[in-house]
Amino acid sequence: MSGKKVTKRTLLGMKQKQEPIAMITAYDYPSARLAEEAGADILLVGDSLGMVVLGYDSTIPVTLDDMLHHTKAVTRGAKKAMVIADLPFATAHLPEGEVLKSAARLMQEGLAYGVKMEGGIEIVDKVNHLTVAGIPVMGHLGLTPQSVNQLGGYVIQGKDLPAARRLLDAAQRLEEAGAFAIVLECVPEELAELVTKKVGIPVIGIGAGRHCDGQVLVYHDLLAMAGDFRPSFVKVYQDAGEVIRKGIAAYVQEVKERSFPAENHVTHLKEELIHELYGSSEGETDQ
Ligand code: KIV
């Protein structure tokens, strides 16, 4: 990533030059800084934070206030990378004015570059409403985790012909409505490749194979910090969970055996002060 801020024009240029786009979720100041230092182009404040940071078993309970809190922290840590914040559960289906208010708060208070919205042709009018108002919108098709209950689980989407055609159509309609990019989650590689070819905007895949314009993974997944939950499309690049666990275990052990803090971690009083202080308490006895 160069020194310039990443914008939708940057991403479009990358698609045209076939330069892969690297996106990763970030939920706070340190994860944003580390991801940016590592060269990520886009930081997604995903509502996956509900699962990997807040401990819910889906993204459904995540609120706009949760999203704002985390988006503010991420934007403080990101200087160049584009920061996109998720609109939480069901927001895209509220009346237009409500959707606009929520998206505007993520930009005005959270300082996000734009928002991501889950959904297909049923939300195209809302996408258009936001983009006309100056809000960059990233679409999200395929497996849309906010609809996990309705979908019947975290299952691959677009596997039969009607579903694949619907998804392709939705991608084209989102582009027409003004979306600047689309996340495509858990669809067969061939369908993702076709969508990527058929739309002019960048397509960022997650569990969507090798031919998208970019890839996104959840921070805690690629660093093995999400417990036992490990979808098959995730690659673990470092076991940070193990590093952290070992570090904390060593600390706990040293505290228990009184080897921490050591001489180099403490400060001392001047000799004469020690005498005065200890002297002044001479004769005082505990009852
Ligand atoms: O919430 C999230 O982290 C996401 C990614 C999985 C794309 O939507």
Side-chain angles (χ1 to χ4, degrees):
M1 197 172 55
S2 76
K4 282 198 201 143
K5 271 188 181 288
V6 176
T7 67
K8 44 191 271 196
R9 286 167 65 93
T10 318
L11 301 179
L12 198 58
M14 289 172 83
K15 177 175 177 107
Q16 285 156 0
K17 284 184 274 174
Q18 297 187 354
E19 187 186 326
I21 298 165
M23 170 160 138
I24 180 171
T25 62
Y27 309 108
D28 54 17
Y29 179 77
S31 59
R33 285 197 59 167
L34 289 172
E36 180 167 280
E37 282 163 19
D41 302 300
I42 311 175
L43 308 186
L44 172 66
V45 190
D47 60 358
S48 52
L49 68 87
M51 298 172 81
V52 295
V53 177
L54 302 181
Y56 296 127
D57 64 4
S58 79
T59 60
I60 294 169
V62 176
T63 64
L64 182 64
D65 284 342
D66 292 330
M67 291 308 304
L68 273 168
H69 179 76
H70 288 273
T71 303
K72 286 178 188 176
V74 169
T75 52
R76 280 181 218 121
K79 303 284 170 267
K80 299 177 218 156
M82 173 186 285
V83 177
I84 297 296
D86 261 336
L87 278 179
F89 177 69
T91 307
H93 301 276
L94 295 174
E96 276 177 355
E98 295 301 310
V99 188
L100 181 61
K101 262 194 236 163
S102 298
R105 287 192 68 193
L106 289 168
M107 287 177 69
Q108 289 192 297
E109 297 172 42
L111 304 180
Y113 179 87
V115 299
K116 177 164 78 58
M117 287 167 86
E118 293 187 10
I121 52 172
E122 69 285 357
I123 63 156
V124 156
D125 54 340
K126 307 288 172 49
V127 171
N128 186 246
H129 191 69
L130 294 193
T131 56
V132 165
I135 295 176
V137 176
M138 178 179 274
H140 186 155
L141 293 170
L143 172 55
T144 45
Q146 291 172 2
S147 306
V148 60
N149 294 352
Q150 174 66 15
L151 294 173
Y154 296 102
V155 284
I156 307 278
Q157 301 295 305
K159 277 171 77 177
D160 58 38
L161 196 54
R165 285 200 172 126
R166 262 199 314 276
L167 195 141
L168 179 57
D169 181 45
Q172 290 171 320
R173 299 276 305 275
L174 284 173
E175 179 178 18
E176 281 161 24
F180 76 90
I182 295 173
V183 163
L184 201 47
E185 178 162 356
C186 287
V187 301
E189 183 172 70
E190 297 75 14
L191 174 58
E193 182 174 16
L194 185 63
V195 172
T196 305
K197 281 191 182 136
K198 290 278 184 184
V199 298
I201 54 177
V203 174
I204 321 270
I206 172 162
R210 293 160 287 187
H211 307 298
C212 297
D213 299 304
Q215 298 290 330
V216 54
L217 280 180
V218 167
Y219 185 94
H220 291 63
D221 288 346
L222 78 90
L223 296 174
M225 290 165 67
D228 294 334
F229 178 71
R230 199 159 296 170
S232 61
F233 57 79
V234 167
K235 177 170 175 186
V236 172
Y237 284 85
Q238 290 286 335
D239 195 341
E242 184 59 9
V243 170
I244 294 169
R245 220 172 358 259
K246 275 192 185 152
I248 297 173
Y251 159 72
V252 169
Q253 192 186 335
E254 290 198 359
V255 169
K256 301 281 183 191
E257 64 192 26
R258 294 191 185 281
S259 59
F260 175 83
E263 175 59 30
N264 55 326
H265 304 118
V266 303
T267 51
H268 292 287
L269 278 176
K270 289 205 174 94
E271 201 60 30
E272 28 333 337
L273 244 159
I274 298 174
H275 288 303
E276 277 191 42
L277 189 65
Y278 275 65
S280 65
S281 63
E282 250 171 39
E284 288 174 14
T285 51
D286 291 338
Q287 292 297 314

